[in-house]
Amino acid sequence: MSDEVEKLERMLQRATAAENVPPDDLDGETSRLREGWLAFGRLLEAAEPLAEVSFRCLPLPRKRSQRRLWSAAGLLAVSLLFCAVAMWILQPPSGAKNASPAPVQIASTSAKRPAPPSPPAPLPRAGEGSSGTAKPAASASGPQWDDSFDEQVAQLGRQVIDAQQSSSAWADTGAAVQSKIEQIQQEFKDNNL
Amino acid sequence: MGDPERNTGDEQLFAEWVCEHGRAVRGFLLAMVRRPDVADDLAQEVFCRAWQARSRYREQGSARAYLLRIADRLVCDRSRGRMPFVNLDEEGWDRHDPPDPSAGPLAALLMVEATGRLTAALDQLSPAQRRVLLLRYYGQLGFAEIAAMIGLPLSTTLSHCRRGLETLRRMLVEEMP
């Protein structure tokens, strides 16, 4: 860089400096150029309509593709949720599925009132076989305690507990089964079993 | 781009850019195109492009120089007809952005007068002189940086600045009533 260019650059830097430069520090030509520079700056400020307005950032709208992506993702999420709910309704959890139908079936069969004692059979005639004597003998001795039925009741209770824990949706079924069990127990008590 | 901390830092940096350099960028554009509506659109475009290219921005030089470089290119593109614009007439512009009634008639008159004088002064400058002086004023860039930005030798850039200042002094100081 030649000396003349360096000198001109220094002069123009002083003439166009943003900070205040004492006029006494400037030579004649620099001072004249600075007068033009300052007048230019005043004019730019006066003609600037937004001189007193501060700029601020506003949130930029998302691009259309981004909006579409978010819409598709939302639609997919809603669809998945709908499918999950539908599957849960149509195919209940395994614990609850095993629990509900069996107790209802057992309860319906066991809720039958015990058959009344059969009428006394006619006395066997002489010469007849002894095959018909077993039933009257059993009925005559009264109903026997059935251990398997007790196990069924205990199993039913466990299944009810499982059903209640598995899902709140099956609570009504469990309550119905529970009431059936209580009904059976009451019937057993009434019949002095 | 996916790092939330980096995104937050970018957004903060961008907000600082808008607050600190928005006026300078807009003023530079207004002086170059002399249409407030076009200057607003271009200023918006400058910051959009700066945001899109923020990953390529490095802390070399000032952010204002970076933004003004984008603004200068946009003005050049516009002058070459590369950027489509929808021009509103005065009535349409007033409907879109009505004048501020709180400014008062005197302030509006002074602004109109200043705008007219500025337009007359800028018309007396060559395009190169205008670019050099406006980049110097709004960006406070060094002359070597301005020369690199506009693609001219330093000596030519200095010459444009000197002649432009002489023209401005003659118009704004000597010929003032």
Side-chain angles (χ1 to χ4, degrees), chain B residues 4 26 39-40 64 68 73 77 87 98-100 113 128 132 146 152:
Chain B
R26 203 258 183 189
D40 289 339
R64 182 170 292 192
L68 286 178
R73 286 179 188 166
D77 287 346
N87 289 321
D100 184 8
E113 183 184 353
V132 172
I146 294 173
L152 292 176

Side-chain angles (χ1 to χ4, degrees), chain A residues 16 29 32 35 48 51, chain B residues 23 26 136-137 162 169:
Chain A
T16 59
E29 186 177 3
R32 283 199 305 277
E35 285 180 2
E48 170 60 72
Chain B
R23 271 192 61 196
R26 203 258 183 189
R136 175 69 177 164
Y137 181 81
R162 182 179 189 171
R169 184 181 183 281

Side-chain angles (χ1 to χ4, degrees), chain A residues 1 5 8 12-13 16 29 32-33 35-37 39-41 43-51 55 57, chain B residues 15 18-19 22-23 26-27 30 111 114 117-118 133-134 136-138 140 143 154 158 162 165-166 168-169 172:
Chain A
M1 191 187 309
V5 172
L8 179 59
L12 290 175
Q13 279 177 345
T16 59
E29 186 177 3
R32 283 199 305 277
L33 294 176
E35 285 180 2
W37 176 255
F40 184 54
L43 200 52
L44 285 172
E45 291 294 324
E48 170 60 72
L50 297 179
F55 280 75
C57 274
Chain B
V18 173
C19 294
R23 271 192 61 196
R26 203 258 183 189
L30 180 62
M111 183 170 293
R117 289 179 60 206
L118 178 64
L133 289 173
L134 290 174
R136 175 69 177 164
Y137 181 81
Y138 285 108
Q140 296 167 11
F143 288 105
L154 176 60
L158 294 174
R162 182 179 189 171
L165 288 177
E166 288 171 350
L168 288 174
R169 184 181 183 281
L172 303 177

Side-chain angles (χ1 to χ4, degrees), chain B residues 70-141:
Chain B
I70 299 174
D72 189 52
R73 286 179 188 166
L74 285 177
V75 172
C76 291
D77 287 346
R78 182 181 181 272
S79 66
R80 291 168 187 156
R82 292 180 187 172
M83 292 185 66
F85 279 97
V86 176
N87 289 321
L88 298 177
D89 55 8
E90 201 62 32
E91 185 181 353
W93 181 251
D94 285 343
R95 276 202 306 272
H96 175 70
D97 188 14
D100 184 8
S102 64
L106 182 59
L109 185 63
L110 290 174
M111 183 170 293
V112 168
E113 183 184 353
T115 303
R117 289 179 60 206
L118 178 64
T119 302
L122 290 171
D123 282 340
Q124 294 298 315
L125 301 175
S126 70
Q129 292 172 0
R130 206 177 303 147
R131 285 175 79 189
V132 172
L133 289 173
L134 290 174
L135 287 172
R136 175 69 177 164
Y137 181 81
Y138 285 108
Q140 296 167 11
L141 309 177

